[in-house]
Amino acid sequence: MNKPTSIKTSEEVRNRLRILADERGTTITQLLEELAARELTEAERGQRAAEAARELGIEYTEQVQQVGQEAWAQIRAHQGGAAA
């Protein structure tokens, strides 16, 4: 097992994490571990995008990356997420 550590946050965030963990029947530590494991880093997202482009027979250039980011921004905007 890894050595435990502390993360400083506001009481508001801690309380929200406690509620979320309780609703899922888990602990704050487990909730944070699951979140960290589920979320990709920027480098991992780039690697997966390049792999997907290769599978499609597309060279993953900066232009392809830009077009892809713009497309996802439009999709999120139409889904009620972040504005494009």
Side-chain angles (χ1 to χ4, degrees), residues 3 12-14 16-17 19-20 25-26 28 34 38-39 42 44 47 49 56-57 65-67 70 72 77-78:
K3 181 180 172 186
E12 181 180 339
V13 170
R14 185 216 43 220
R16 181 170 175 79
L17 288 170
I19 291 168
L20 291 168
T26 190
I28 291 175
E34 290 170 12
R38 183 174 65 226
E39 294 298 316
E42 188 172 330
E44 291 167 333
Q47 181 181 14
L56 295 169
Q65 180 184 20
Q66 182 65 35
V67 169
E70 290 170 4
W72 279 112
H78 288 285

Side-chain angles (χ1 to χ4, degrees), residues 12-81:
E12 181 180 339
V13 170
R14 185 216 43 220
N15 292 341
R16 181 170 175 79
L17 288 170
R18 182 174 291 133
I19 291 168
L20 291 168
D22 288 346
E23 289 177 350
R24 290 165 174 77
T26 190
T27 65
I28 291 175
T29 299
Q30 289 170 324
L31 180 70
L32 291 172
E33 288 173 355
E34 290 170 12
L35 174 65
R38 183 174 65 226
E39 294 298 316
L40 298 176
T41 64
E42 188 172 330
E44 291 167 333
R45 284 192 303 273
Q47 181 181 14
R48 289 190 182 189
E51 290 170 5
R54 257 193 315 279
E55 289 175 9
L56 295 169
I58 300 170
E59 182 182 352
Y60 191 63
T61 64
E62 286 186 31
Q63 182 180 10
V64 169
Q65 180 184 20
Q66 182 65 35
V67 169
Q69 289 172 344
E70 290 170 4
W72 279 112
Q74 288 289 352
I75 290 167
R76 284 191 301 274
H78 288 285
Q79 291 175 332

